Amino acid sequence: MTTHRTPTPPRPGGDDGGAHVVGAATAQCPLASHVFEMAMEPMDVHVAQARRTTATVLKQWSLPEAPAEDARLVVSELVSNAIIHGSGDVRLRLRLRHDDHELRIRVTDDSTAPARRRRASAASLGGRGLHLVASLSLRWGVADGGRTTYAVIPTLTEAPPCRRTTQSSTDPTC
């Protein structure tokens, strides 16, 4: 596994606005895992930057468009929640494991209050983000004493090929 810095997309005017890449690691083997981490100050402008950076990283990792779009949306919701409801700097971590066919997204801040789904009324402007995360993810939850909210996105865009369980079986199983 090689380690290198992955640049974030430049902000207009050349200012990174307080966001910076902590580090990134990728593997040359296509079935290995890739990891990207980024830290940012809790400012609204960093939601869009996290979304753009996620898109760039996932494109570099050759993730198909459908799961990449789901991941961008989940990143946007989780980073927004950390900025609005959390405290301290916000850290984003993406981990793609080809052998698991999963992208794991982790957003961490310093607040110990865990993320919770809210019941939003029809007139409410907010309160639907974690419902969206839940619908796009295989699973989601909180960890690290409430400091981290995570989501797992499936990366397969097609069903895996069927395989026979025994030589004598006439019906393949998936």
Side-chain angles (χ1 to χ4, degrees):
M1 191 176 290
T2 60
T3 302
H4 66 280
R5 289 184 57 82
T6 302
T8 56
R11 290 182 32 95
D15 178 21
D16 72 357
H20 60 280
V21 174
V22 174
T26 62
Q28 300 302 319
C29 175
L31 294 179
S33 64
H34 301 282
V35 175
F36 172 83
E37 294 179 338
M38 170 179 166
M40 62 203 90
E41 293 176 347
M43 299 168 48
D44 291 341
V45 68
H46 292 139
V47 176
Q49 184 178 9
R51 192 172 43 247
R52 284 190 310 269
T53 301
T54 297
T56 299
V57 168
L58 297 180
K59 186 173 183 174
Q60 289 174 350
W61 292 349
S62 301
L63 192 70
E65 183 57 31
E69 178 64 26
D70 291 348
R72 287 190 298 270
L73 201 49
V74 167
V75 163
S76 185
E77 291 298 332
L78 295 183
V79 170
S80 291
N81 282 351
I83 289 170
I84 293 168
H85 304 291
S87 63
D89 286 348
V90 176
R91 293 163 306 281
L92 167 65
R93 183 175 198 265
L94 306 173
R95 182 174 185 200
L96 176 62
R97 292 206 39 172
H98 290 285
D99 55 342
D100 290 344
H101 307 290
E102 294 178 348
L103 173 68
R104 295 181 176 125
I105 301 167
R106 295 174 54 99
V107 175
T108 303
D109 63 66
D110 294 332
S111 174
T112 58
R116 290 193 174 102
R117 284 198 239 186
R118 297 185 313 178
R119 178 171 245 118
S121 70
S124 296
L125 295 177
R128 294 172 184 82
L130 289 177
H131 293 281
L132 182 60
V133 169
S135 69
L136 295 173
S137 305
L138 289 171
R139 60 190 173 279
W140 77 277
V142 297
D144 304 326
R147 289 181 179 87
T148 297
T149 305
Y150 67 88
V152 179
I153 305 293
T155 60
L156 283 179
T157 55
E158 302 176 357
C162 293
R163 296 184 184 190
R164 294 187 187 276
T165 56
T166 65
Q167 291 289 349
S168 61
S169 175
T170 57
D171 294 327
T173 58
C174 294

